[in-house]
Amino acid sequence: MTVNMTKGQAISLQKADGGTLTAVRMGLGWQAAKRRGLFGSRTREIDLDASAVLFADKQPVDVVFFRHLQSDDGSVRHTGDNLVGGVGQGGDDEAILVDLQRVPVHIDQIVFTVNSFTGQTFQEVQNAFCRIVDETNGQELARYTLDGGGQYTAQIMAKVSRSGAGWQMTALGNPANGRTFQDLMPAILPHL
């Protein structure tokens, strides 16, 4: 069963049978909002980018994004860059796969961000979401709607962090500004 998350909500990444999740997919989907113009409504392509920043003791140690599709240790992998969104018709336009069993023990948090590489604000985006899926069986575990369309170009979406022997996910949904994950680092650090 999917949990529709609210900003700041945390959920344990345990299976319903009490077992531990071994692999998850953080999916990102979006569409360009229709804009009314003199000659009817139209859409403008929007390039949103999903990134995952891996932290060890509040220090960034690796990143996975459209120019570095796999973490150095191979535990986190980006499926590829989507330049326009809406391709999945409600499915994932970009995804980051995390093999939780292979994440090195010193990595204690992975923060997922989304940014508008082309600089459009979230006012020009609709139906945006992030979701976490049990990659072993395809079951959606949690979904966070990225709504509120404001004058910002990025969001700190969510984080997964070690919790005892397992992991938990926290929906962050904090607006920020920047075209790349590097621009977002000052906005990420308060959430660690």
Side-chain angles (χ1 to χ4, degrees):
M1 183 169 94
T2 298
V3 174
N4 287 313
M5 298 184 72
T6 59
K7 184 176 179 175
Q9 181 180 3
I11 62 166
S12 172
L13 295 183
Q14 296 288 321
K15 289 187 176 188
D17 64 6
T20 302
L21 287 171
T22 57
V24 295
R25 173 175 19 113
M26 177 66 73
L28 168 66
W30 75 94
Q31 294 174 328
K34 290 189 185 293
R35 297 172 54 182
R36 297 219 24 101
L38 185 59
F39 300 107
S41 62
R42 60 185 170 84
T43 59
R44 182 174 157 200
E45 292 180 350
I46 296 178
D47 180 9
L48 295 186
D49 291 318
S51 302
V53 185
L54 289 71
F55 288 89
D57 197 27
K58 298 186 180 185
Q59 297 298 314
V61 294
D62 202 353
V63 65
V64 174
F65 71 115
F66 69 92
R67 289 191 180 142
H68 186 246
L69 294 176
Q70 184 168 297
S71 61
D72 293 339
D73 58 58
S75 65
V76 181
R77 185 172 53 89
H78 196 298
T79 60
D81 195 13
N82 178 320
L83 303 177
V84 297
V87 174
Q89 300 302 318
D92 300 335
D93 293 310
E94 290 194 11
I96 297 176
L97 307 172
V98 182
D99 184 339
L100 295 169
Q101 293 182 315
R102 290 184 55 203
V103 174
V105 68
H106 70 285
I107 303 295
D108 54 11
Q109 297 184 74
I110 303 171
V111 177
F112 297 93
T113 65
V114 59
N115 54 274
S116 173
F117 187 74
T118 46
Q120 292 102 330
T121 68
F122 272 71
Q123 285 183 319
E124 298 179 61
V125 177
Q126 67 182 11
N127 302 324
F129 65 88
C130 70
R131 67 187 190 132
I132 194 157
V133 175
D134 180 343
E135 194 62 12
T136 62
N137 63 15
Q139 179 184 1
E140 181 176 291
L141 303 171
R143 178 177 287 257
Y144 178 64
T145 302
L146 303 170
D147 57 9
Q151 287 292 328
Y152 50 87
T153 59
Q155 278 201 22
I156 314 305
M157 292 190 308
K159 71 176 179 177
V160 292
S161 51
R162 290 194 190 270
S163 176
W167 293 83
Q168 75 172 16
M169 176 185 169
T170 304
L172 299 171
N174 288 328
N177 283 297
R179 293 181 56 234
T180 66
F181 76 89
Q182 294 102 323
D183 299 335
L184 304 179
M185 290 306 288
I188 293 172
L189 296 177
H191 301 288
L192 301 178

